[in-house]
Amino acid sequence: MIDDMLKPWLIEVNSSPSISADSQADYDLKYGLLDDVYTILDPEGQLDDELYEQVGGFDLIYHNGPIKVDKQHQFTTKLGCYDDRPRNLKRLFKQHAKHRATPALSAAAT
């Protein structure tokens, strides 16, 4: 957990976490968590070094200093909200593809 001063606090350490699922809900929760973690870590380099404000159920809170919050919005995070993971991940990769295509389009125009 991270407090308002961005100080991390260790809540619990589980030396042998269970990754196996006992029910469909348990499977969905653990699969979603692992999928989001690997999307953020990006071991295949699919997202290059681009930063996104939200990936799955995670919010970007620090990048070379704390992330500034847009004060015009009532909510600054989706934490605790319903997250349509497949739709949001599809949007993330579509947005990433658009970012990658933009330099190629501008280079072709010159």
mmCIF file of all heavy atoms in Angstrom, residues 41-70:
data_model
loop_
_atom_site.group_PDB
_atom_site.id
_atom_site.type_symbol
_atom_site.label_atom_id
_atom_site.label_comp_id
_atom_site.label_asym_id
_atom_site.label_seq_id
_atom_site.Cartn_x
_atom_site.Cartn_y
_atom_site.Cartn_z
ATOM 1 N N LEU A 41 4.557 -5.090 -16.578
ATOM 2 C CA LEU A 41 5.976 -5.431 -16.683
ATOM 3 C C LEU A 41 6.434 -5.498 -18.135
ATOM 4 O O LEU A 41 7.581 -5.210 -18.435
ATOM 5 C CB LEU A 41 6.257 -6.770 -15.988
ATOM 6 C CG LEU A 41 6.050 -6.786 -14.481
ATOM 7 C CD1 LEU A 41 6.257 -8.190 -13.934
ATOM 8 C CD2 LEU A 41 6.971 -5.797 -13.795
ATOM 9 N N ASP A 42 5.526 -5.877 -19.039
ATOM 10 C CA ASP A 42 5.762 -5.909 -20.471
ATOM 11 C C ASP A 42 7.045 -6.660 -20.841
ATOM 12 O O ASP A 42 7.934 -6.105 -21.483
ATOM 13 C CB ASP A 42 5.806 -4.478 -21.006
ATOM 14 C CG ASP A 42 5.742 -4.410 -22.518
ATOM 15 O OD1 ASP A 42 5.197 -5.355 -23.129
ATOM 16 O OD2 ASP A 42 6.245 -3.418 -23.086
ATOM 17 N N PRO A 43 7.173 -7.951 -20.437
ATOM 18 C CA PRO A 43 8.403 -8.692 -20.726
ATOM 19 C C PRO A 43 8.656 -8.907 -22.221
ATOM 20 O O PRO A 43 9.796 -9.116 -22.616
ATOM 21 C CB PRO A 43 8.184 -10.036 -20.008
ATOM 22 C CG PRO A 43 6.717 -10.179 -19.886
ATOM 23 C CD PRO A 43 6.171 -8.787 -19.763
ATOM 24 N N GLU A 44 7.628 -8.823 -23.039
ATOM 25 C CA GLU A 44 7.802 -8.997 -24.485
ATOM 26 C C GLU A 44 8.081 -7.681 -25.197
ATOM 27 O O GLU A 44 8.280 -7.660 -26.409
ATOM 28 C CB GLU A 44 6.556 -9.657 -25.078
ATOM 29 C CG GLU A 44 6.327 -11.060 -24.535
ATOM 30 C CD GLU A 44 4.991 -11.639 -24.957
ATOM 31 O OE1 GLU A 44 4.093 -10.862 -25.371
ATOM 32 O OE2 GLU A 44 4.846 -12.861 -24.868
ATOM 33 N N GLY A 45 8.059 -6.575 -24.487
ATOM 34 C CA GLY A 45 8.357 -5.279 -25.082
ATOM 35 C C GLY A 45 7.296 -4.769 -26.035
ATOM 36 O O GLY A 45 7.588 -3.989 -26.926
ATOM 37 N N GLN A 46 6.051 -5.181 -25.863
ATOM 38 C CA GLN A 46 4.978 -4.773 -26.768
ATOM 39 C C GLN A 46 4.615 -3.301 -26.621
ATOM 40 O O GLN A 46 4.184 -2.668 -27.572
ATOM 41 C CB GLN A 46 3.734 -5.618 -26.539
ATOM 42 C CG GLN A 46 3.915 -7.067 -26.905
ATOM 43 C CD GLN A 46 2.653 -7.867 -26.668
ATOM 44 O OE1 GLN A 46 1.572 -7.306 -26.545
ATOM 45 N NE2 GLN A 46 2.785 -9.170 -26.615
ATOM 46 N N LEU A 47 4.756 -2.751 -25.427
ATOM 47 C CA LEU A 47 4.364 -1.358 -25.200
ATOM 48 C C LEU A 47 5.541 -0.399 -25.283
ATOM 49 O O LEU A 47 5.402 0.785 -24.991
ATOM 50 C CB LEU A 47 3.683 -1.226 -23.830
ATOM 51 C CG LEU A 47 2.398 -2.008 -23.661
ATOM 52 C CD1 LEU A 47 1.854 -1.838 -22.247
ATOM 53 C CD2 LEU A 47 1.361 -1.590 -24.672
ATOM 54 N N ASP A 48 6.710 -0.883 -25.696
ATOM 55 C CA ASP A 48 7.926 -0.077 -25.743
ATOM 56 C C ASP A 48 8.124 0.594 -24.388
ATOM 57 O O ASP A 48 7.950 -0.025 -23.371
ATOM 58 C CB ASP A 48 7.866 0.939 -26.884
ATOM 59 C CG ASP A 48 7.702 0.260 -28.245
ATOM 60 O OD1 ASP A 48 8.301 -0.804 -28.435
ATOM 61 O OD2 ASP A 48 6.959 0.797 -29.086
ATOM 62 N N ASP A 49 8.463 1.859 -24.369
ATOM 63 C CA ASP A 49 8.653 2.574 -23.100
ATOM 64 C C ASP A 49 7.583 3.627 -22.882
ATOM 65 O O ASP A 49 7.768 4.555 -22.111
ATOM 66 C CB ASP A 49 10.038 3.231 -23.066
ATOM 67 C CG ASP A 49 11.143 2.207 -22.931
ATOM 68 O OD1 ASP A 49 10.883 1.150 -22.321
ATOM 69 O OD2 ASP A 49 12.253 2.445 -23.433
ATOM 70 N N GLU A 50 6.455 3.503 -23.578
ATOM 71 C CA GLU A 50 5.390 4.483 -23.426
ATOM 72 C C GLU A 50 4.704 4.316 -22.080
ATOM 73 O O GLU A 50 4.618 3.220 -21.546
ATOM 74 C CB GLU A 50 4.372 4.335 -24.552
ATOM 75 C CG GLU A 50 4.965 4.683 -25.894
ATOM 76 C CD GLU A 50 3.923 4.692 -26.976
ATOM 77 O OE1 GLU A 50 2.837 5.227 -26.735
ATOM 78 O OE2 GLU A 50 4.212 4.156 -28.045
ATOM 79 N N LEU A 51 4.213 5.411 -21.533
ATOM 80 C CA LEU A 51 3.510 5.389 -20.250
ATOM 81 C C LEU A 51 2.024 5.567 -20.471
ATOM 82 O O LEU A 51 1.607 6.369 -21.297
ATOM 83 C CB LEU A 51 4.010 6.516 -19.346
ATOM 84 C CG LEU A 51 5.447 6.386 -18.880
ATOM 85 C CD1 LEU A 51 5.844 7.636 -18.112
ATOM 86 C CD2 LEU A 51 5.616 5.169 -18.020
ATOM 87 N N TYR A 52 1.256 4.819 -19.738
ATOM 88 C CA TYR A 52 -0.195 4.921 -19.802
ATOM 89 C C TYR A 52 -0.697 5.177 -18.391
ATOM 90 O O TYR A 52 -0.175 4.619 -17.429
ATOM 91 C CB TYR A 52 -0.800 3.643 -20.375
ATOM 92 C CG TYR A 52 -0.375 3.427 -21.801
ATOM 93 C CD1 TYR A 52 0.744 2.678 -22.114
ATOM 94 C CD2 TYR A 52 -1.078 4.028 -22.839
ATOM 95 C CE1 TYR A 52 1.144 2.517 -23.426
ATOM 96 C CE2 TYR A 52 -0.681 3.871 -24.152
ATOM 97 C CZ TYR A 52 0.431 3.107 -24.435
ATOM 98 O OH TYR A 52 0.824 2.957 -25.730
ATOM 99 N N GLU A 53 -1.700 6.032 -18.259
ATOM 100 C CA GLU A 53 -2.206 6.385 -16.937
ATOM 101 C C GLU A 53 -2.830 5.205 -16.220
ATOM 102 O O GLU A 53 -2.784 5.125 -15.005
ATOM 103 C CB GLU A 53 -3.216 7.523 -17.041
ATOM 104 C CG GLU A 53 -2.584 8.836 -17.430
ATOM 105 C CD GLU A 53 -3.597 9.962 -17.488
ATOM 106 O OE1 GLU A 53 -4.762 9.744 -17.122
ATOM 107 O OE2 GLU A 53 -3.208 11.058 -17.902
ATOM 108 N N GLN A 54 -3.429 4.292 -16.980
ATOM 109 C CA GLN A 54 -4.051 3.122 -16.363
ATOM 110 C C GLN A 54 -3.818 1.899 -17.222
ATOM 111 O O GLN A 54 -3.916 1.960 -18.441
ATOM 112 C CB GLN A 54 -5.553 3.344 -16.182
ATOM 113 C CG GLN A 54 -5.823 4.448 -15.199
ATOM 114 C CD GLN A 54 -7.263 4.865 -15.155
ATOM 115 O OE1 GLN A 54 -7.949 4.805 -16.163
ATOM 116 N NE2 GLN A 54 -7.710 5.298 -14.001
ATOM 117 N N VAL A 55 -3.471 0.810 -16.563
ATOM 118 C CA VAL A 55 -3.336 -0.486 -17.216
ATOM 119 C C VAL A 55 -4.085 -1.478 -16.346
ATOM 120 O O VAL A 55 -3.743 -1.678 -15.180
ATOM 121 C CB VAL A 55 -1.869 -0.926 -17.350
ATOM 122 C CG1 VAL A 55 -1.785 -2.346 -17.894
ATOM 123 C CG2 VAL A 55 -1.097 0.033 -18.231
ATOM 124 N N GLY A 56 -5.142 -2.077 -16.922
ATOM 125 C CA GLY A 56 -5.935 -3.014 -16.137
ATOM 126 C C GLY A 56 -6.483 -2.334 -14.899
ATOM 127 O O GLY A 56 -7.085 -1.280 -14.974
ATOM 128 N N GLY A 57 -6.238 -2.908 -13.748
ATOM 129 C CA GLY A 57 -6.708 -2.331 -12.497
ATOM 130 C C GLY A 57 -5.670 -1.480 -11.800
ATOM 131 O O GLY A 57 -5.814 -1.168 -10.618
ATOM 132 N N PHE A 58 -4.603 -1.088 -12.482
ATOM 133 C CA PHE A 58 -3.524 -0.325 -11.867
ATOM 134 C C PHE A 58 -3.492 1.101 -12.412
ATOM 135 O O PHE A 58 -3.695 1.327 -13.592
ATOM 136 C CB PHE A 58 -2.169 -0.986 -12.143
ATOM 137 C CG PHE A 58 -2.007 -2.331 -11.503
ATOM 138 C CD1 PHE A 58 -2.311 -3.481 -12.196
ATOM 139 C CD2 PHE A 58 -1.557 -2.438 -10.199
ATOM 140 C CE1 PHE A 58 -2.163 -4.722 -11.612
ATOM 141 C CE2 PHE A 58 -1.409 -3.677 -9.605
ATOM 142 C CZ PHE A 58 -1.712 -4.825 -10.312
ATOM 143 N N ASP A 59 -3.182 2.059 -11.534
ATOM 144 C CA ASP A 59 -3.025 3.463 -11.916
ATOM 145 C C ASP A 59 -1.552 3.846 -11.834
ATOM 146 O O ASP A 59 -0.842 3.422 -10.922
ATOM 147 C CB ASP A 59 -3.779 4.386 -10.954
ATOM 148 C CG ASP A 59 -5.265 4.158 -10.970
ATOM 149 O OD1 ASP A 59 -5.823 3.990 -12.065
ATOM 150 O OD2 ASP A 59 -5.879 4.148 -9.892
ATOM 151 N N LEU A 60 -1.086 4.667 -12.776
ATOM 152 C CA LEU A 60 0.259 5.218 -12.714
ATOM 153 C C LEU A 60 0.256 6.326 -11.673
ATOM 154 O O LEU A 60 -0.523 7.278 -11.779
ATOM 155 C CB LEU A 60 0.664 5.780 -14.082
ATOM 156 C CG LEU A 60 2.047 6.415 -14.161
ATOM 157 C CD1 LEU A 60 3.137 5.380 -13.923
ATOM 158 C CD2 LEU A 60 2.237 7.080 -15.515
ATOM 159 N N ILE A 61 1.072 6.197 -10.643
ATOM 160 C CA ILE A 61 1.099 7.214 -9.587
ATOM 161 C C ILE A 61 2.450 7.914 -9.467
ATOM 162 O O ILE A 61 2.557 8.929 -8.801
ATOM 163 C CB ILE A 61 0.714 6.622 -8.207
ATOM 164 C CG1 ILE A 61 1.695 5.540 -7.786
ATOM 165 C CG2 ILE A 61 -0.708 6.121 -8.216
ATOM 166 C CD1 ILE A 61 1.534 5.108 -6.352
ATOM 167 N N TYR A 62 3.482 7.372 -10.119
ATOM 168 C CA TYR A 62 4.809 7.956 -9.985
ATOM 169 C C TYR A 62 5.595 7.741 -11.268
ATOM 170 O O TYR A 62 5.652 6.638 -11.792
ATOM 171 C CB TYR A 62 5.547 7.295 -8.816
ATOM 172 C CG TYR A 62 6.817 7.996 -8.432
ATOM 173 C CD1 TYR A 62 6.803 9.019 -7.487
ATOM 174 C CD2 TYR A 62 8.024 7.659 -9.003
ATOM 175 C CE1 TYR A 62 7.962 9.669 -7.133
ATOM 176 C CE2 TYR A 62 9.199 8.308 -8.657
ATOM 177 C CZ TYR A 62 9.158 9.313 -7.720
ATOM 178 O OH TYR A 62 10.304 9.971 -7.361
ATOM 179 N N HIS A 63 6.164 8.830 -11.792
ATOM 180 C CA HIS A 63 7.089 8.755 -12.916
ATOM 181 C C HIS A 63 7.977 9.979 -12.865
ATOM 182 O O HIS A 63 7.552 11.085 -13.182
ATOM 183 C CB HIS A 63 6.339 8.688 -14.250
ATOM 184 C CG HIS A 63 7.271 8.566 -15.411
ATOM 185 N ND1 HIS A 63 7.578 9.622 -16.215
ATOM 186 C CD2 HIS A 63 7.991 7.524 -15.865
ATOM 187 C CE1 HIS A 63 8.432 9.241 -17.126
ATOM 188 N NE2 HIS A 63 8.702 7.971 -16.933
ATOM 189 N N ASN A 64 9.208 9.802 -12.421
ATOM 190 C CA ASN A 64 10.128 10.923 -12.181
ATOM 191 C C ASN A 64 9.492 11.958 -11.255
ATOM 192 O O ASN A 64 9.656 13.146 -11.435
ATOM 193 C CB ASN A 64 10.553 11.583 -13.495
ATOM 194 C CG ASN A 64 11.357 10.643 -14.360
ATOM 195 O OD1 ASN A 64 12.070 9.777 -13.863
ATOM 196 N ND2 ASN A 64 11.247 10.799 -15.667
ATOM 197 N N GLY A 65 8.740 11.503 -10.296
ATOM 198 C CA GLY A 65 8.013 12.355 -9.355
ATOM 199 C C GLY A 65 6.548 11.959 -9.351
ATOM 200 O O GLY A 65 6.093 11.249 -10.248
ATOM 201 N N PRO A 66 5.822 12.416 -8.347
ATOM 202 C CA PRO A 66 4.396 12.054 -8.275
ATOM 203 C C PRO A 66 3.627 12.561 -9.483
ATOM 204 O O PRO A 66 3.911 13.628 -10.009
ATOM 205 C CB PRO A 66 3.919 12.762 -7.002
ATOM 206 C CG PRO A 66 5.151 13.088 -6.238
ATOM 207 C CD PRO A 66 6.259 13.232 -7.238
ATOM 208 N N ILE A 67 2.666 11.779 -9.924
ATOM 209 C CA ILE A 67 1.821 12.167 -11.045
ATOM 210 C C ILE A 67 0.831 13.223 -10.564
ATOM 211 O O ILE A 67 0.199 13.069 -9.531
ATOM 212 C CB ILE A 67 1.050 10.947 -11.600
ATOM 213 C CG1 ILE A 67 2.033 9.888 -12.104
ATOM 214 C CG2 ILE A 67 0.066 11.347 -12.682
ATOM 215 C CD1 ILE A 67 2.912 10.332 -13.242
ATOM 216 N N LYS A 68 0.734 14.309 -11.302
ATOM 217 C CA LYS A 68 -0.195 15.384 -10.943
ATOM 218 C C LYS A 68 -1.622 14.946 -11.263
ATOM 219 O O LYS A 68 -1.893 14.364 -12.300
ATOM 220 C CB LYS A 68 0.141 16.645 -11.726
ATOM 221 C CG LYS A 68 1.568 17.125 -11.511
ATOM 222 C CD LYS A 68 1.602 18.309 -10.605
ATOM 223 C CE LYS A 68 2.967 18.927 -10.485
ATOM 224 N NZ LYS A 68 3.948 18.187 -9.792
ATOM 225 N N VAL A 69 -2.533 15.255 -10.375
ATOM 226 C CA VAL A 69 -3.931 14.867 -10.519
ATOM 227 C C VAL A 69 -4.713 16.013 -11.142
ATOM 228 O O VAL A 69 -4.552 17.165 -10.760
ATOM 229 C CB VAL A 69 -4.524 14.509 -9.136
ATOM 230 C CG1 VAL A 69 -5.988 14.173 -9.245
ATOM 231 C CG2 VAL A 69 -3.751 13.365 -8.525
ATOM 232 N N ASP A 70 -5.549 15.685 -12.115
ATOM 233 C CA ASP A 70 -6.425 16.672 -12.740
ATOM 234 C C ASP A 70 -7.541 17.009 -11.755
ATOM 235 O O ASP A 70 -8.400 16.185 -11.481
ATOM 236 C CB ASP A 70 -6.997 16.099 -14.040
ATOM 237 C CG ASP A 70 -7.874 17.099 -14.780
ATOM 238 O OD1 ASP A 70 -8.008 18.251 -14.309
ATOM 239 O OD2 ASP A 70 -8.425 16.724 -15.815
#
